[in-house]
Amino acid sequence: MLESEHPGTVNIEELKNRLILHELREAQLNADISKQDKLIEVLRLAEQRSAMLTAIVNSSDDAIISKNLDGVITSWNSSAERIFGYTADQIVGQSVLKLIPQDRHFEEPEILDRLRRGERVDHFQTKRITRDGRMIEVSLTISPVKDSRGVIIGVSKIARDITALILAERKGAILSAIVTSSDDAIISKDLNSIVTSWNDSAERIFGYTAKEMIGESIVKLIPADRQQEEPEIISKLKRGQRVEHFETKRVTRHGVLIDVSLTISPVLDAAGRIIGVSKIARDITDKKLEEQRKNDFIAIVSHELKTPLTSMRSYVQLGLVKAIENGDSFTETLMRRAENQTRKMSTMIHDFLNVSRLEEGKMSLHIERFSLPELIEEVVSEFRPFAPTRHIDYLRGPEVQVDGDREKLSHVLINLLGNAVKYSTEGSPVCISCDLERGTATVSVSDKGIGISEEDQIRLFERFYRVKDQGLKNVSGFGIGLYLVAEILKLHNSQIQVLSVPGKGSTFSFSLGS
Ligand code: ADP
């Protein structure tokens, strides 16, 4: 038997080639030309085959290792080097136990026993250890190497590093547990709106099982009057945008309309192409009902308070006129204060009514063309008597006509001025301005008051949001003024902006096209 360069290892290809060479030499001696040609062809094919095998082994992504029956490594490809960190020079001739963690050394004789019985060991998952001591997860396929008489002379081993796969699987299992246990419906669909996954909560909320929905179009859940939402959402996602907290209605299997809040994100493939859509739907029907009850209550109470308050204000105004006529300065001061307070109350009631109108989608605009500087002047002169100790600075600028709801925009200005006064100290100035640039008018209301932190600036325009500050505990308000300001401006296709530095002051501004 021929020994290869490593003791105890036999190279079958080498052995075969040597036998052919021996026969060839004999054919040459016997001048047997046809046998010579045949043998040369056989040798050429054998070389070709061996080159091909070497190329396959070297280009494989898996470690391809062979060892003899004593567990000594006899060959080692480049992926084995990449996965385990040893070069062929460092490991060939060494025991394979070097790669096996101590607590798994028992595997080696067990595998050999199975191979001796002629079995192949397929996709056997275990752990191996790399040169730098890292534990990796591998999947092994082990086959016996036999000589021409069928005697097992060694073992070939294909080892695949599945560490990343196992980690991904674990991550996948965690994600899938989250999806399954979520209280929200989590649904995925392809770009043709066909449902591709459907969790338990989707079943609970919409009444369809996964079996009934997967492969079906999602439009089944969309009420007839909202069908246009689907193409709109898909085109938004195709532009790479995410749709967050989009409140809408969906219809269940039993035909019940439910309120849902949707968060929809694109699902991208490895190359960043959109291949589908994932959707989280939260059933907010109860929340909506609760809101509806609250709004109804606010609307009724505000409406009932409005009538007596209007009469009270008229009596106070009559009392004020009488006191002035009588030269009764004490009563005059009291009446002015009472008038100021009734004005504040009616502003609040007005705000509450507007909030409930807005929530019901019943706030409509009465658009007319008017002079914006003139409106500001009117609002400022109406406002001044109610903040007699404050300096409200307004320098009327260039004329600008805008289209808008005059009454609602005056309400916006009153709210901004009221806050500027309320959240700044006595004596500090409040400034309102209207600038015109390239056909756009920008109105700004500034104060040098307490200012607003960046965190609060983000939430300022939410309904009922008030800054939580000990110093503001005694400042009255409900946190709806700025919400209304933002919503009214939205209806005018405008947006409220805030610039503020705590301790230095704030500027609220908005723009309107002329
Ligand atoms: P309210 O004044 O009734 O609380 P708003 O919606 O008008 O409600 O304002 C929300 C919150 O924003 C206020 O509670 C206040 O903390 C803060 N804020 C509004 N305007 C200003 C301002 N000019 N300076 C400082 N803080 C302000």
Side-chain angles (χ1 to χ4, degrees):
M1 191 183 276
L2 286 163
E3 295 282 315
S4 84
E5 56 197 286
H6 296 288
T9 68
V10 182
N11 188 327
I12 303 292
E13 290 297 319
E14 206 179 313
L15 180 69
K16 274 190 195 157
N17 289 352
R18 286 191 189 190
L19 285 173
I20 296 168
L21 275 172
H22 180 71
E23 276 189 56
L24 186 60
R25 233 172 277 132
E26 274 189 358
Q28 277 168 341
L29 284 175
N30 299 336
D32 184 346
I33 304 291
S34 77
K35 192 165 183 191
Q36 276 181 49
D37 286 350
K38 237 189 247 161
L39 288 168
I40 288 171
E41 180 58 12
V42 169
L43 261 181
R44 199 183 60 78
L45 287 175
E47 262 168 26
Q48 233 178 38
R49 199 172 140 254
S50 143
M52 230 164 69
L53 279 175
T54 312
I56 292 171
V57 167
N58 282 337
S59 64
S60 167
D61 269 350
D62 297 332
I64 303 182
I65 304 165
S66 61
K67 59 181 185 188
N68 65 15
L69 293 178
D70 298 324
V72 173
I73 296 171
T74 54
S75 76
W76 187 259
N77 74 342
S78 47
S79 284
E81 176 172 341
R82 181 177 48 76
I83 295 172
F84 294 101
Y86 296 98
T87 63
D89 281 349
Q90 288 165 333
I91 199 89
V92 171
Q94 306 259 357
S95 166
V96 78
L97 291 178
K98 244 183 145 161
L99 309 175
I100 307 179
Q102 198 83 35
D103 59 344
R104 293 189 183 232
H105 277 186
F106 65 90
E107 284 175 0
E108 214 25 35
E110 272 180 22
I111 291 173
L112 271 178
D113 274 355
R114 287 178 65 183
L115 293 173
R116 279 201 189 98
R117 288 197 299 271
E119 287 174 30
R120 190 180 135 98
V121 181
D122 250 332
H123 306 307
F124 163 62
Q125 198 172 315
T126 183
K127 286 185 194 297
R128 288 294 177 257
I129 197 155
T130 64
R131 188 183 176 195
D132 54 14
R134 247 177 338 109
M135 200 66 91
I136 56 169
E137 303 273 350
V138 288
S139 161
L140 301 179
T141 294
I142 308 169
S143 339
V145 175
K146 297 175 183 166
D147 68 7
S148 54
R149 286 164 297 146
V151 177
I152 299 172
I153 50 169
V155 174
S156 91
K157 198 180 243 179
I158 301 180
R160 174 163 296 182
D161 181 358
I162 52 166
T163 315
L165 193 78
I166 292 218
L167 283 178
E169 258 174 20
R170 267 182 215 146
K171 207 167 137 198
I174 293 171
L175 284 178
S176 127
I178 294 173
V179 169
T180 311
S181 62
S182 165
D183 268 351
D184 296 334
I186 303 182
I187 302 164
S188 63
K189 57 183 183 184
D190 65 15
L191 289 179
N192 297 317
S193 306
I194 301 296
V195 174
T196 50
S197 77
W198 186 261
N199 73 344
D200 291 355
S201 285
E203 180 170 337
R204 184 178 45 77
I205 295 173
F206 298 107
Y208 295 100
T209 63
K211 218 166 151 201
E212 287 167 325
M213 274 315 283
I214 293 176
E216 288 287 316
S217 173
I218 194 90
V219 294
K220 229 171 148 171
L221 308 178
I222 307 179
D225 58 340
R226 292 182 188 242
Q227 290 279 328
Q228 87 294 346
E229 279 177 7
E230 188 60 12
E232 275 172 21
I233 290 172
I234 298 274
S235 78
K236 234 180 168 180
L237 293 171
K238 279 186 178 160
R239 277 180 264 132
Q241 291 168 3
R242 201 177 128 97
V243 180
E244 218 155 338
H245 305 310
F246 163 59
E247 291 193 1
T248 182
K249 286 190 188 293
R250 290 292 177 256
V251 64
T252 70
R253 180 192 193 141
H254 311 291
V256 179
L257 267 188
I258 54 169
D259 288 288
V260 288
S261 162
L262 302 179
T263 292
I264 309 170
S265 335
V267 175
L268 308 176
D269 68 6
R273 281 180 301 249
I274 301 176
I275 49 166
V277 174
S278 87
K279 193 180 245 181
I280 302 182
R282 175 163 297 182
D283 184 356
I284 52 166
T285 311
D286 289 346
K287 185 180 141 219
K288 280 276 164 191
L289 273 176
E290 186 56 35
E291 270 176 19
Q292 176 74 42
R293 269 186 233 122
K294 220 189 286 172
N295 282 339
D296 289 350
F297 176 75
I298 292 173
I300 294 166
V301 172
S302 312
H303 193 79
E304 292 303 314
L305 287 176
K306 218 171 120 185
T307 322
L309 190 67
T310 312
S311 330
M312 231 167 94
R313 212 170 161 189
S314 316
Y315 295 136
V316 169
Q317 274 163 354
L318 275 176
L320 178 63
V321 173
K322 256 289 162 284
I324 294 169
E325 271 176 17
N326 295 342
D328 180 352
S329 58
F330 178 71
T331 314
E332 183 189 332
T333 310
L334 290 186
M335 287 297 129
R336 279 197 196 283
R337 286 190 186 156
E339 194 196 12
N340 199 351
Q341 295 304 321
T342 49
R343 182 199 62 87
K344 275 190 186 163
M345 259 176 92
S346 64
T347 308
M348 277 184 216
I349 288 169
H350 189 261
D351 278 356
F352 277 129
L353 277 172
N354 272 335
V355 167
S356 66
R357 274 190 207 122
L358 201 70
E359 301 289 307
E360 301 272 297
K362 284 187 192 151
M363 185 185 270
S364 53
L365 297 185
H366 304 287
I367 302 287
E368 55 182 312
R369 195 156 180 79
F370 63 90
S371 158
L372 191 55
E374 191 181 288
L375 174 71
I376 298 174
E377 202 160 73
E378 240 177 73
V379 168
V380 170
S381 45
E382 256 177 52
F383 189 82
R384 274 192 182 121
F386 297 105
T389 56
R390 305 303 299 272
H391 176 68
I392 298 174
D393 181 27
Y394 172 56
L395 198 64
R396 189 167 167 164
E399 174 54 16
V400 42
Q401 295 274 320
V402 293
D403 293 311
D405 186 317
R406 203 173 187 277
E407 198 230 307
K408 299 222 165 45
L409 288 172
S410 87
H411 191 73
V412 165
L413 296 172
I414 290 171
N415 252 309
L416 295 179
L417 279 174
N419 280 347
V421 167
K422 199 154 88 169
Y423 298 107
S424 61
T425 42
E426 269 306 304
S428 74
V430 165
C431 174
I432 180 162
S433 64
C434 176
D435 299 310
L436 182 63
E437 208 184 312
R438 278 189 241 122
T440 301
T442 301
V443 179
S444 306
V445 178
S446 314
D447 63 66
K448 296 202 182 313
I450 58 170
I452 307 151
S453 72
E454 274 186 33
E455 281 159 53
D456 287 316
Q457 285 178 36
I458 301 167
R459 303 200 49 196
L460 224 47
F461 306 101
E462 288 173 21
R463 197 177 52 153
F464 300 127
Y465 187 79
R466 303 202 73 211
V467 173
K468 284 174 195 61
D469 185 319
Q470 283 300 319
L472 291 176
K473 253 183 153 180
N474 298 324
V475 181
S476 67
F478 292 102
I480 52 173
L482 286 182
Y483 165 72
L484 278 173
V485 164
E487 293 300 314
I488 292 172
L489 290 173
K490 250 192 233 164
L491 292 174
H492 283 85
N493 295 322
S494 179
Q495 206 186 358
I496 183 79
Q497 310 273 1
V498 58
L499 273 176
S500 184
V501 180
K504 295 250 184 295
S506 314
T507 297
F508 287 85
S509 58
F510 63 90
S511 298
L512 291 171
S514 67

